[in-house]
Amino acid sequence: MEPEDHADSELYGRPGLLERWCWSGTKNMTTIIAISGSLRATSFNTMLVNAAVAAAPAGTTVEVGSIKDIPLYDGDLEAASGAPPAVIALKERIVAADGLLLVSPEYNNGIPGVFKNAIDWLSRPAADIPRVFAERPVGVIGATPGRGGTAMAQAGWLPVLRTLGTQLFTGGRLQVGGAGKVFDSSGALVDATVRGLLEAYMADFARFVAKQRSPR
Ligand code: FNR
């Protein structure tokens, strides 16, 4: 069935779903945009993003998004001039992708403010939440030099992702601890066990994303 045939179907009016279906009708690849929640040049989470790109299964492309140029959320700034260009650009990249992968550090057993700030901007204006987030397949992974593997931060994302109406991937977990030994000084993933876990996670997440983008 051609994507156009869906114009009057039940998909119409389900925010984001028709758009994703039309888009998927024009391509075979599943696209996932992965975003690191750290601004550090030598961020372990950015290294994990890059490793996820390399670990993408056949038929899946992992693109890299950045929160680097997103300012602190300011309601006055928004009221005066709307969302900043970096927010608009990242939003459109998320909309164009089939799935979203948040690669989150953990700060004080929670979500880093800089990453939450970016998601908060991306949720503005609220009328755009359905288009950007609703029913969008989302996964959360993370890396830390500590032992906890960002488990607490990953749990911290749950109410946020539920509020935004995403389809949270719960079919696997990737909590990378001891990151100082998992990646080398050039940022390469050198731990074979973690690489295997990452490949398994990406395969399962990509399958979940592909399934979610199919019409239901
Ligand atoms: C941390 N770090 C940290 N790690 C952890 O596993 N659990 C935690 O609760 C915290 N808390 C925390 C608070 C603050 C303010 C900072 C700056 C750091 C350590 C953190 O995991 C480490 O700095 C990572 O390297 C951060 O991720 P990136 O920047 O390497 O991606």
Side-chain angles (χ1 to χ4, degrees):
M1 189 182 287
E2 292 301 312
E4 290 76 15
D5 294 341
H6 287 271
D8 295 315
S9 78
E10 64 185 274
L11 290 175
Y12 204 72
R14 292 176 68 183
L17 202 54
L18 176 67
E19 186 173 15
R20 261 172 270 162
W21 170 237
C22 289
W23 180 225
S24 69
T26 63
K27 61 173 187 173
N28 294 319
M29 294 292 280
T30 296
T31 57
I32 294 168
I33 183 165
I35 303 174
S36 169
S38 172
L39 302 177
R40 285 193 324 122
T42 55
S43 156
F44 292 121
N45 286 280
T46 303
M47 293 174 191
L48 187 54
V49 164
N50 294 333
V53 171
T60 300
T61 302
V62 177
E63 301 172 356
V64 178
S66 172
I67 62 170
K68 191 108 188 152
D69 296 321
I70 296 180
L72 283 176
Y73 177 76
D74 178 343
D76 292 340
L77 174 66
E78 184 188 16
S81 45
V87 173
I88 293 170
L90 186 54
K91 246 188 190 184
E92 296 313 316
R93 291 190 68 197
I94 293 171
V95 169
D98 300 307
L100 171 63
L101 182 62
L102 302 182
V103 185
S104 181
E106 176 174 300
Y107 287 176
N108 296 314
N109 286 172
I111 303 172
V114 67
F115 206 4
K116 177 66 162 48
N117 173 73
I119 296 298
D120 290 342
W121 257 125
L122 292 166
S123 72
R124 301 296 298 169
D128 238 8
I129 291 174
R131 192 173 73 90
V132 179
F133 290 108
E135 301 192 34
R136 188 164 304 282
V138 179
V140 182
I141 61 177
T144 169
R147 289 183 176 178
T150 71
M152 296 289 282
Q154 292 188 27
W157 280 106
L158 300 181
V160 178
L161 296 172
R162 181 180 59 190
T163 294
L164 295 174
T166 66
Q167 293 284 336
L168 180 67
F169 173 60
T170 58
R173 289 184 190 212
L174 187 66
Q175 298 165 348
V176 179
K181 290 182 179 164
V182 168
F183 300 95
D184 71 13
S185 58
S186 74
L189 175 54
V190 291
D191 185 302
T193 301
V194 173
R195 183 181 298 109
L197 291 170
L198 176 61
E199 286 171 353
Y201 181 95
M202 293 307 293
D204 291 344
F205 181 50
R207 205 173 302 118
F208 176 79
V209 171
K211 195 173 159 195
Q212 296 299 318
R213 87 177 181 185
S214 301
R216 283 159 282 171

